[in-house]
């Protein structure tokens, strides 16, 4: 009954500005009687009169506030800050009254839409809910703005009071100094204030969402009886925010940049990873497994599937990516130009043939299982890549025969992995094309344009490398070496800066950053073995520490419960994939290797028979873009992890069986 009456009042809202309240009430009663209702006349008349009366009172108050603001603005007895504060306060009150009136009619209109909607249609209900949510978000923004304006007005008032007190007493020298410092600090805050919220809220693509602010239990307990401390810590903004999609956020840039801050969650996470990696890696070394296996187990134990103690997963993974960069830099240092010239044809042909075979096999299975071709191409390409950091750890300290006229397996293996890194850059570049194909917007001209763009970027990178090798890298290292005598900091910093320079260049040209890191090492390796050994001695400790973080970050994405639920199918898929990649690699290498070097195909194939950790990155991008489904993403994630865990076993078995035989063959 009351709902219907309020809807009838809505019909009279357009006449509120011109009709008296008694006329509005009589009109509403007439409409109410027209519906055939016999009761509730007095309730309707009373509420309509009350509503119209409130609105007319509001108009009177708004006019009085406007007149008061004009009078305050002309009052010369007030100081400028005090006058601004009073005018601003009156304007805020006017906004509040107008907004309250707007919210009343907005609520009635929302109720009318809800009653007119079809509740059998879920889409209609969803749209109504979305409209209410948008209205609440807009109201929250306006309320936040009003609160900020009031805080600023209060600050002006306090400054006016301080100015008045200062005029009535003589300031000491210390007070004058502090007053000058205060004014300078206020000017500094105004200069560095970016107004990021106000500047970005109206930008295209910006959505306003409700978030939860979560404080640590210890901090929240301390705040119960300390309001002043709460205000200070609230200003720090170091608490965690959680949105409606369960994404968690931490502070990246504070409003007040003059005060240093630290992310204690990230520090605790890093300490946990390092401390637990030691026993895990130690135990794996004792049982004959590579320590990296223990680091992955460390990530599993600390990740969401077990203890769930890592709060800053993105930050830990970002730090781990630096381990990949420095690992590839060291790989480039060890990959001498002579060995590059010896195996570049084999590397290009081998990596391309393997990728084509994997994609062809994926398309064949896709036809049989009726899977979209974009999904099969993506999954096949991901699975065709192998892990360069993992293999480089295998090769560390390994035997590498290098008889004149023969090829050692490490050169061929690293050459093919480097070409796969190039393919990774190409694949990242064509991912937008796969996304368009997913939505049905595939264009052959677009594909050719993207491929030409990537090839042009690669040509630009190679040209830059030739220029650096000819004119810059030699004098640059000599200068660093001369400045770093007795102080290795300059050398370490110079090498890291060079790595990041090449990384930035390749990223700017839309080529994989990993390729830039490898090229940085390869350029330095052209300066001779003494340079390589000196740089290696400085960079290897940094590389080792960051690599531990990287392998632990891989473990964060391993979910033992999912693996246990689907253990049979995952083992079958992983073993099938490993055997298939091993067999394809043996076949390809048998065709492209010279006859006197075909004995190394077994070891090289064993190094390629796993899936690159970059499948995690590519899979997450494809999952967000809708190229692959959630189920396929979890399968790719699990198969990649299991293949990385099986890789040390396959490598150890193969090298123990074939490396001694290959060395005897080289000697004979």
């Amino acid at each position: 009954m009351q709902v219907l009456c309020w809807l009838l009042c809505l019909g009279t809202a357009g006449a509120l500005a011109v009709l008296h309240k008694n006329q509005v009430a009589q009109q509403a009663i007439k409409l109410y009687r027209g519906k055939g209702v016999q009761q509730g006349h007095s309730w309707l008349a009373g509420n309509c009169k009350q509503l119209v009366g409130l609105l007319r009172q509001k108009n009177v108050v708004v006019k009085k506030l406007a007149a008061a603001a004009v009078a305050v603005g002309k009052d010369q007895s007030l100081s400028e800050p005090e006058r601004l504060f009073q005018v601003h306060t009156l304007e805020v009150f006017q906004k509040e009254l107008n907004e309250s009136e707007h919210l009343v009619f907005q609520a009635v209109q929302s109720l009318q839409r809800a009653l007119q909607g079809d509740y059998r249609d879920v889409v209609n209900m969803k749209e109504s809910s979305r409209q209410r949510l948008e209205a609440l978000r807009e109201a929250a923004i306006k309320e936040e703005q009003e609160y900020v304006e009031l805080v600023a007005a209060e600050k002006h008032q306090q400054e006016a009071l301080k100015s008045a007190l200062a005029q009535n007493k003589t300031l000491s020298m210390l007070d004058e100094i502090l007053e000058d410092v205060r004014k300078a600090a206020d000017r500094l805050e105004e200069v560095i204030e970016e107004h990021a919220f106000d500047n970005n809220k109206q930008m295209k693509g910006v959505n306003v969402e409700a978030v939860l602010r979560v404080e640590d239990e210890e901090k929240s307990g301390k705040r119960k009886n300390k309001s002043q401390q709460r205000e200070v810590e609230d200003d720090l903004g170091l608490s965690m925010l959680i949105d409606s999609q369960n994404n968690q956020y931490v502070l990246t840039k504070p409003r007040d940049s003059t005060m240093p801050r630290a992310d204690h969650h990230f520090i605790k996470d890093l300490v946990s990873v390092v401390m637990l990696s030691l026993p895990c890696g130690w135990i794996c070394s004792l049982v004959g497994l590579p320590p990296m296996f223990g680091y992955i187990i460390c990530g599993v134990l600390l990740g969401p599937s077990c203890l769930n103690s890592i709060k800053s997963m993105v930050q830990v993974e970002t730090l781990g990516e630096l381990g990949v960069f420095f690992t590839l830099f060291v790989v480039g240092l060890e990959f001498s130009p002579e060995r590059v010239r010896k195996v570049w044809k084999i590397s290009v042909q081998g990596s391309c043939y393997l990728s084509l075979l994997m994609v062809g096999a994926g398309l064949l299975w896709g036809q049989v299982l009726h899977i979209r071709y974009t999904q099969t191409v993506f999954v096949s390409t991901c699975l065709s890549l192998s892990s360069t950091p993992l293999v480089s750890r295998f090769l560390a300290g390994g035997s590498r025969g290098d008889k004149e006229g023969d090829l050692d397996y490490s050169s061929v293996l690293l050459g093919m992995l480097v070409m796969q890194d190039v393919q990774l850059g190409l694949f990242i570049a064509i991912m937008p094309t796969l996304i368009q194909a997913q939505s049905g917007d595939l264009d052959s001209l677009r594909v050719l344009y993207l491929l030409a763009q990537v090839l042009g970027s690669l040509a630009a990178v190679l040209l830059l490398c030739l220029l650096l090798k000819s004119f810059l890298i030699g004098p640059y290292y000599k200068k660093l070496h001369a400045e770093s005598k007795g102080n290795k900091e300059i050398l370490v910093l110079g090498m890291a800066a060079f790595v990041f320079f090449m990384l930035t260049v390749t990223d700017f040209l839309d080529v994989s950053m990993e390729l830039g890191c490898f090229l940085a090492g390869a350029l330095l390796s052209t300066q001779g073995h003494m340079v390589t050994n000196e740089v290696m001695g400085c960079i290897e400790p940094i590389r080792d520490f960051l690599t531990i973080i990287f392998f632990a970050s891989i473990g964060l994405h391993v979910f033992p419960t999912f693996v246990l639920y689907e253990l049979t199918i995952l083992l079958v898929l992983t073993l099938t994939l490993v055997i298939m990649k091993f067999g394809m690699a043996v076949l390809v290498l048998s065709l492209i290797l010279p006859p006197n070097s075909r004995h190394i195909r077994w070891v090289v194939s064993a190094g390629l028979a796993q899936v690159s950790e970059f499948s995690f990155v590519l899979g997450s991008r494809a999952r967000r873009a809708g190229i692959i489904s959630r189920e396929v993403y979890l399968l790719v994630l699990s198969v990649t992890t299991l293949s990385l865990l099986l890789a040390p076993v396959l490598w150890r078995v193969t090298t123990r069986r074939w490396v001694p035989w290959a060395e005897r063959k080289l000697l004979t």
Side-chain angles (χ1 to χ4, degrees):
M1 178 72 68
Q2 294 180 359
V3 169
L4 181 60
C5 293
W6 276 109
L7 291 177
L8 293 174
C9 287
L10 176 66
T12 66
L16 287 177
V18 295
L19 296 178
H20 296 293
K21 55 184 179 182
N22 291 331
Q23 294 175 329
V24 174
Q26 294 299 326
Q27 183 182 3
I29 292 173
K30 185 182 298 184
L31 292 172
Y32 187 63
R33 287 174 176 173
K35 297 293 182 179
V37 183
Q38 302 299 326
Q39 299 177 355
H41 297 173
S42 61
W43 182 91
L44 175 62
N47 282 278
C48 287
K49 289 179 181 180
Q50 184 179 5
L51 176 61
V52 176
L54 289 174
L55 293 177
R56 299 189 66 172
Q57 290 179 14
K58 190 271 302 181
N59 293 329
V60 173
V61 172
V62 168
K63 292 179 180 179
K64 290 183 178 180
L65 290 173
V70 173
V72 170
K74 296 179 179 179
D75 190 355
Q76 300 298 327
S77 63
L78 298 175
S79 62
E80 185 67 20
E82 182 65 21
R83 189 185 305 115
L84 292 175
F85 170 74
Q86 292 189 14
V87 171
H88 188 269
T89 304
L90 294 173
E91 291 176 350
V92 170
F93 193 28
Q94 293 181 55
K95 289 182 181 178
E96 182 68 23
L97 292 174
N98 293 325
E99 186 63 26
S100 299
E101 178 187 15
H102 175 70
L103 290 176
V104 170
F105 290 102
Q106 192 176 44
V108 176
Q109 292 173 359
S110 176
L111 180 60
Q112 184 183 34
R113 287 195 304 267
L115 291 175
Q116 293 175 351
D118 184 4
Y119 285 89
R120 293 173 297 179
D121 186 3
V122 179
V123 177
N124 188 297
M125 296 172 61
K126 178 182 176 182
E127 180 63 21
S128 299
S129 177
R130 187 192 64 79
Q131 292 178 359
R132 289 195 300 271
L133 185 59
E134 290 294 332
L136 288 174
R137 288 171 175 171
E138 293 178 2
I141 291 179
K142 292 179 180 178
E143 195 66 31
E144 186 75 20
Q145 289 176 337
E146 291 182 3
Y147 177 77
V148 172
E149 291 176 356
L150 288 174
V151 170
E154 183 183 15
K155 183 178 179 181
H156 286 299
Q157 185 185 35
Q158 292 175 354
E159 291 178 354
L161 293 175
K162 289 181 180 180
S163 177
L165 292 174
Q167 293 176 359
N168 297 329
K169 69 176 183 179
T170 303
L171 295 177
S172 64
M173 184 179 297
L174 179 60
D175 292 334
E176 291 179 356
I177 294 175
L178 292 178
E179 182 66 18
D180 291 338
V181 172
R182 182 186 65 81
K183 293 180 180 179
D186 291 340
R187 287 194 298 268
L188 176 62
E189 288 184 357
E190 293 177 0
V191 170
I192 65 177
E193 180 69 41
E194 294 186 359
H195 301 286
F197 185 85
D198 296 331
N199 295 336
N200 291 293
K201 67 183 180 183
Q202 301 296 339
M203 290 181 62
K204 185 178 180 181
V206 174
N207 296 320
V208 180
E209 295 186 2
V211 297
L212 301 177
R213 180 170 180 171
V214 181
E215 303 287 348
D216 291 339
E217 295 181 0
E218 298 180 358
K219 291 182 179 180
S220 60
K222 294 178 182 178
R223 292 183 181 188
K224 290 183 179 179
N225 299 320
K226 298 182 180 180
S227 59
Q228 184 176 2
Q229 180 181 356
R230 178 175 64 251
E231 292 178 2
V232 173
E233 293 191 9
D234 283 346
D235 187 60
L236 291 179
L238 294 176
S239 53
M240 182 178 295
L241 301 179
I242 304 176
D243 65 4
S244 58
Q245 303 298 322
N246 295 320
N247 298 309
Q248 300 180 12
Y249 303 88
V250 294
L251 182 68
T252 57
K253 185 177 181 180
R255 179 185 64 85
D256 184 6
S257 302
T258 61
M259 186 180 301
R261 292 167 174 82
D263 187 356
H264 297 287
H265 291 296
F266 178 55
I267 294 175
K268 292 178 181 178
D269 294 341
L270 192 58
V271 170
S272 301
V273 169
V274 173
M275 292 185 65
L276 189 58
S277 295
L278 175 60
C280 292
W282 200 343
I283 292 173
C284 288
S285 298
L286 292 177
V287 298
L289 292 175
M292 69 185 72
F293 185 57
Y295 307 148
I296 296 177
I297 294 176
C298 166
V300 175
L301 295 176
L302 295 175
S305 57
C306 292
L307 299 178
N308 194 24
S309 62
I310 301 296
K311 303 300 182 183
S312 304
M313 288 185 61
V314 176
Q315 286 77 7
V316 173
E317 293 170 8
T318 303
L319 186 61
E321 284 298 308
L322 296 178
V324 177
F325 297 154
F326 281 99
T327 297
L328 291 172
F329 173 66
V330 173
V331 171
L333 285 174
E334 297 177 343
F335 204 57
S336 63
E338 293 78 10
R339 296 163 72 186
V340 173
R341 286 193 291 268
K342 192 185 298 184
V343 302
W344 75 272
K345 290 184 178 180
I346 297 174
S347 301
V348 173
Q349 293 177 358
S351 60
C352 292
Y353 291 160
L354 281 176
S355 298
L356 291 176
L357 285 175
M358 286 293 297
V359 172
L363 290 174
L364 180 61
W365 280 104
Q367 282 293 115
V368 174
L369 301 176
H370 303 287
I371 304 175
R372 297 192 306 269
Y373 77 93
T374 54
Q375 186 166 299
T376 56
V377 169
F378 175 83
V379 174
S380 301
T381 306
C382 280
L383 298 180
S384 67
L385 302 175
S386 301
S387 175
T388 303
L390 186 71
V391 175
S392 64
R393 301 287 289 184
F394 289 160
L395 297 175
S399 174
R400 302 178 185 182
D402 196 10
K403 184 179 176 180
E404 185 69 26
D406 289 337
L407 299 176
D408 62 296
Y409 65 86
S410 62
S411 298
V412 177
L413 183 54
L414 288 176
M416 295 183 67
L417 290 172
V418 169
M419 290 309 305
Q420 287 189 355
D421 290 335
V422 175
Q423 293 176 1
L424 175 65
L426 293 170
F427 189 57
I428 291 175
I430 66 173
M431 277 195 70
T433 304
L434 290 177
I435 297 174
Q436 293 178 7
Q438 181 73 13
S439 59
D441 298 332
L442 185 63
D443 186 3
S444 58
L445 294 178
R446 175 67 175 171
V447 174
L448 293 176
Y449 171 75
L450 289 173
L451 291 177
Q453 186 179 18
V454 173
L455 293 176
S457 299
L458 289 175
V461 170
L462 294 178
L463 179 61
L464 176 63
C465 290
L466 291 176
L467 295 175
L468 292 176
K469 178 179 178 296
S470 302
F471 302 104
L472 183 63
I473 191 65
Y476 176 72
Y477 178 78
K478 290 179 181 179
K479 184 65 175 178
L480 287 178
H481 181 74
E483 295 292 337
S484 62
K485 289 183 178 179
N487 185 5
K488 295 298 182 183
E489 295 178 4
I490 299 298
L491 181 60
V492 174
L493 183 60
M495 292 299 99
F498 182 62
V499 173
F500 294 148
F501 169 74
M502 293 298 298
L503 177 152
T504 305
V505 170
T506 53
D507 182 57
F508 176 76
L509 295 174
D510 293 328
V511 187
S512 66
M513 293 185 289
E514 292 76 17
L515 179 62
C517 299
F518 173 82
L519 292 175
L523 287 173
L524 282 172
S525 68
T526 60
Q527 303 302 307
H529 293 290
M530 293 183 62
V531 173
T532 301
N533 293 335
E534 184 177 12
V535 174
M536 192 86 68
C538 297
I539 295 298
E540 273 192 332
I542 303 175
R543 187 275 310 266
D544 292 338
F545 176 77
L546 295 175
T547 303
I548 291 172
I549 307 298
F550 168 71
F551 284 111
S553 67
I554 290 179
L556 297 176
H557 299 280
V558 179
F559 304 96
T561 53
F562 177 78
V563 175
L564 290 176
Y565 290 153
E566 305 293 340
L567 183 60
T568 303
I569 187 172
L570 289 177
L571 285 177
V572 171
L573 289 176
T574 304
L575 291 175
T576 303
L577 175 65
V578 170
I579 294 172
M580 184 172 65
K581 290 193 71 174
F582 183 83
M584 288 182 178
V586 170
L587 175 63
V588 170
L589 292 172
S590 299
L591 296 176
I592 64 176
L593 283 174
N596 58 346
S597 299
R598 289 178 181 173
H599 54 276
I600 65 173
R601 64 183 184 273
W602 306 103
V603 181
V604 176
S605 301
L608 297 173
Q610 27 75 22
V611 183
S612 173
E613 65 283 343
F614 290 109
S615 297
F616 299 141
V617 180
L618 295 175
S620 63
R621 291 186 183 182
R623 175 74 181 91
R624 289 193 299 267
I627 298 177
I628 60 176
S629 62
R630 179 191 60 177
E631 293 76 14
V632 174
Y633 170 69
L634 289 176
L635 287 176
V636 171
L637 201 68
S638 302
V639 169
T640 300
T641 304
L642 290 177
S643 70
L644 291 174
L645 297 180
L646 290 176
V649 180
L650 180 61
W651 177 262
R652 188 175 295 272
V653 171
T654 308
T655 52
R656 284 184 176 179
R657 170 65 180 86
W658 291 104
V659 169
W661 177 82
E663 290 177 347
R664 291 195 300 270
K665 183 175 179 61
L666 285 171
L667 292 175
T668 58

